[in-house]
């Protein structure tokens, strides 16, 4: 059974490779190894026997807005609940950080909807449009759907956010 946990620095190459495999098939934007290393504290992984089977990350845009991105599951492990487990861990981390709105742009909106996200308009997230969408090779024919989950931050998350306004932590 796979263990769902924060990524470790030594797993950055495996994460970058898993994302690259999906990016080569135009399923997501690539995340080069240096970018993964730099943001390793924002990644959640599913591991078994030392192998990264699935991954996903959070990208904070504002104190209240964060994106779930780079959700990838190794092909031979799809359909086993690893993607759901990674997203659930990312949701919990977003709550812990005091995020108010968690969103994703996806081609599999029903997957996210089963986890509590609701469809919305991508235009609601201009931060995403200006950061990634302008660089995307399929932006003119984008077929992704925006989904969002909104929640009130937990009291403990507010205290954590006040102590660490950048939202960066040494673990996810």
């Amino acid at each position: 059974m796979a263990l769902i946990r924060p990524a470790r620095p030594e797993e950055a190459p495996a994460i970058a490779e898993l994302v690259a495999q999906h990016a080569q098939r135009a399923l997501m934007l690539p995340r080069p190894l240096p970018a993964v290393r730099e943001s390793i504290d924002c990644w959640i992984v599913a591991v078994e026997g030392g192998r990264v089977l699935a991954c996903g990350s959070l990208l904070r845009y504002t104190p209240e807005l964060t994106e779930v991105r780079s959700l990838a599951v190794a092909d031979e492990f799809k359909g086993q609940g690893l993607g759901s487990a990674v997203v659930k861990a990312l949701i919990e981390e977003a709550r812990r950080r005091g995020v108010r709105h968690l969103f994703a742009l996806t081609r599999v909106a029903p997957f996210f909807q089963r986890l509590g996200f609701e469809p919305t308009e991508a235009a609601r997230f201009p931060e995403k449009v200006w950061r990634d969408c302008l660089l995307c090779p399929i932006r003119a024919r984008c077929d992704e759907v925006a989904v969002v989950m909104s929640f009130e931050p937990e009291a403990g998350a507010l205290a954590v956010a006040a102590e660490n306004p950048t939202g960066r932590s040494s673990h996810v």
Side-chain angles (χ1 to χ4, degrees), residues 2 4 18 22 44-47 53-57 68-74 77-91 108 111-112 114-115 117:
I4 309 301
L18 184 56
H22 286 71
I44 295 287
V45 292
V47 296
L53 308 179
C55 64
S57 69
V68 171
R69 66 187 208 161
S70 302
L71 178 64
V73 178
F77 294 96
K78 289 186 179 185
Q80 297 182 21
L82 296 177
S84 294
V86 168
V87 172
K88 287 175 184 176
L90 291 168
I91 290 167
V108 288
F111 166 82
F112 281 92
R114 284 190 301 271
L115 296 172
F117 287 77

Side-chain angles (χ1 to χ4, degrees), residues 60 63-64 88-102 149-163:
R60 181 177 223 138
E64 293 190 343
K88 287 175 184 176
L90 291 168
I91 290 167
E92 288 309 309
E93 179 59 19
R95 285 180 191 230
R96 189 190 69 74
R97 292 182 182 190
V99 170
R100 184 117 188 259
H101 305 287
L102 185 62
M149 175 183 283
S150 298
F151 40 80
E152 291 298 320
E154 297 173 7
L158 294 175
V160 170
E163 293 171 17

Side-chain angles (χ1 to χ4, degrees), residues 8-65:
R8 297 177 180 154
E10 63 272 14
E11 294 165 333
I15 293 168
E17 176 59 28
L18 184 56
V19 171
Q21 291 169 8
H22 286 71
Q24 289 168 355
R25 295 185 304 225
L27 299 174
M28 65 181 60
L29 292 174
R31 302 286 171 229
L33 179 56
V36 173
R37 280 190 174 127
E38 182 179 299
S39 63
I40 198 69
D41 62 331
C42 296
W43 290 84
I44 295 287
V45 292
V47 296
E48 186 173 81
R51 179 177 176 203
V52 174
L53 308 179
C55 64
S57 69
L58 295 176
L59 175 65
R60 181 177 223 138
Y61 285 94
T62 70
E64 293 190 343
L65 180 66

